[in-house]
Amino acid sequence: MTEVLKALQELNVFWKKIGHYNMKCKWVAGIPGHHEGMINNSVNNHHYLGNSSIIENEAVSKSNVVKFEVQLYKTREDKYLLDLQRVEGPQFLFLDLCAAFLAQLRVL
């Protein structure tokens, strides 16, 4: 999970942990310095959103925002499966994010 969080942080994705291996995430395309509502967790230095700031932020155009959930599973062969599900936002922008995420994880 640490590698996943590092890759998300490099892509300026914000997240809110909703379970041990489940997170709600928000990515704002084209705004690398967008840090509204972010809490800097000094223990792990991750992008973590507190309260409901992941849900609504009127300052950002909805056409540039992709909201998605991430779920991590462990398979029988001691390998991991990562599920990304788009919740809201443009489909092609989400696919761009997925491609960048896979490249960040060095899977592609």
Side-chain angles (χ1 to χ4, degrees):
M1 190 66 158
T2 304
E3 291 298 318
V4 170
L5 295 175
K6 284 180 186 177
L8 291 173
Q9 185 177 18
E10 287 295 318
L11 295 171
N12 292 319
V13 172
F14 306 103
W15 63 81
K16 181 176 183 178
K17 193 173 177 183
I18 56 176
H20 289 293
Y21 303 101
N22 194 351
M23 299 180 306
K24 288 187 179 190
C25 302
K26 179 173 92 170
W27 180 62
V28 181
I31 307 176
H34 174 72
H35 296 293
E36 289 294 317
M38 188 177 79
I39 297 170
N40 188 6
N41 183 345
S42 61
V43 176
N44 296 322
N45 197 22
H46 295 310
H47 293 98
Y48 174 77
L49 287 170
N51 299 332
S52 63
S53 50
I54 192 170
I55 306 302
E56 292 298 325
N57 188 348
E58 297 300 323
V60 178
S61 170
K62 296 246 184 216
S63 65
N64 288 349
V65 177
V66 176
K67 295 180 184 177
F68 61 100
E69 290 192 19
V70 175
Q71 176 77 45
L72 184 68
Y73 299 96
K74 188 173 183 180
T75 64
R76 291 185 209 167
E77 299 84 29
D78 289 332
K79 294 187 179 188
Y80 294 92
L81 176 91
L82 190 63
D83 179 31
L84 276 72
Q85 180 181 6
R86 183 184 65 87
V87 175
E88 187 178 312
Q91 293 91 344
F92 287 118
L93 204 54
F94 177 67
L95 291 175
D96 288 342
L97 170 66
C98 290
F101 182 61
L102 290 172
Q104 193 69 37
L105 288 173
R106 292 177 213 83
V107 175
L108 290 179

